[in-house]
Amino acid sequence: MLAEDILEIIDNFETESKKPFKDNEFASRIRNEFKEDLEKVVNEITSSDKYRVKFSVGNMGWLKNRNPWAGIRNIDVTDTFKERFYIFFNIHKDGTGMEISLDQGFDFLNPVQREEIANYLFKKFEESEFEIPDGFVSDDNKLSSDSVMSRFFNRDELSTEVLFEVLEQLIPIYEYLIPYYNDFIKRYEVEEDKFIDTEADDSNLEFERNMWMIRAGKGAYLLNDFITKNNLFDKRYH
């Protein structure tokens, strides 16, 4: 079951990640069995064949300085979890819980542009007939400035029933916002040197984000975000 899968990651990632990654049974189960459980939930909510899901604890090795994560994406908006717009599960390896967010990947556009998109999408959401799902926020308490909305779940709140109810509300909202996202990004002329190198280590990813914010005159915002959110860069996979 989905909640049990997530709780297993929350409770065991730190211990398992000290073991060799290659042929690790825990990592294999996450990539395969846990993924299948998430697929089942999504397929119960929507009959669309355009949804793809993923769990990740690392690719060639365990994730370092990042949390394990899962995602739900629609192929009408992105063919990867590294960029554009999708539903994101940020699974805290410190054992505290998990966020679910409508979010964007770091590999597309720059932080200021992604923040602009997030604000635009939330405005479009407010103009719709949808109601914000219980517990979700869109203010400074959301997962990051790239997030449209997010909710933090304490580990004790996690159940498959609760997660199903949340995704049952969130997937239609996500689907509703996809055309607005696709239309809005047409205004940006993306240069290749504005993409973040996905092969870079975590310090380079953080440095690149800092430089974008400074060049955009948002150094003060970045510092405040860092302090109030207890290190934004460790909170997300992207």
Side-chain angles (χ1 to χ4, degrees), residues 105-111 114 192-201 204-206 208-209 212 238:
F106 275 3
D107 286 10
F108 188 67
L109 305 177
N110 65 62
R114 292 195 301 268
E192 286 187 3
D193 63 355
K194 291 183 181 178
F195 283 77
I196 294 175
D197 181 5
T198 58
E199 301 301 320
D201 62 22
N204 285 339
L205 288 171
E206 180 172 339
E208 184 70 17
R209 182 182 171 95
W212 270 113
H238 316 331

Side-chain angles (χ1 to χ4, degrees), residues 125-154:
F125 163 77
E126 288 185 308
E127 294 171 355
S128 75
E129 296 181 355
F130 289 103
E131 294 184 1
I132 192 163
D134 289 344
F136 276 74
V137 295
S138 62
D139 56 16
D140 291 343
N141 294 312
K142 64 184 179 180
L143 180 56
S144 82
S145 59
D146 297 343
S147 309
V148 179
M149 62 179 75
S150 69
R151 174 181 171 181
F152 176 77
F153 297 81
N154 289 308

Side-chain angles (χ1 to χ4, degrees), residues 57-94:
V57 291
N59 188 11
M60 302 301 291
W62 297 106
L63 290 171
K64 295 181 179 179
N65 302 320
R66 301 176 184 178
N67 284 324
W69 60 274
I72 301 170
R73 63 179 176 86
N74 186 303
I75 60 175
D76 282 345
V77 67
T78 183
D79 59 2
T80 174
F81 288 101
K82 294 180 179 180
E83 63 178 44
R84 299 186 186 250
F85 183 44
Y86 50 86
I87 297 172
F88 179 62
F89 298 67
N90 183 45
I91 305 168
H92 288 229
K93 60 186 178 182
D94 63 5

Side-chain angles (χ1 to χ4, degrees), residues 184-233:
F184 194 82
I185 62 173
K186 292 176 183 177
R187 68 184 62 192
Y188 297 122
E189 293 182 1
V190 182
E191 301 171 8
E192 286 187 3
D193 63 355
K194 291 183 181 178
F195 283 77
I196 294 175
D197 181 5
T198 58
E199 301 301 320
D201 62 22
D202 294 335
S203 61
N204 285 339
L205 288 171
E206 180 172 339
F207 174 78
E208 184 70 17
R209 182 182 171 95
N210 284 343
M211 290 306 296
W212 270 113
M213 298 297 273
I214 291 169
R215 284 198 291 269
K218 290 211 169 190
Y221 169 86
L222 178 63
L223 179 60
N224 181 66
D225 208 26
F226 181 88
I227 294 170
T228 58
K229 294 187 180 233
N230 190 26
N231 193 346
L232 176 64
F233 307 107

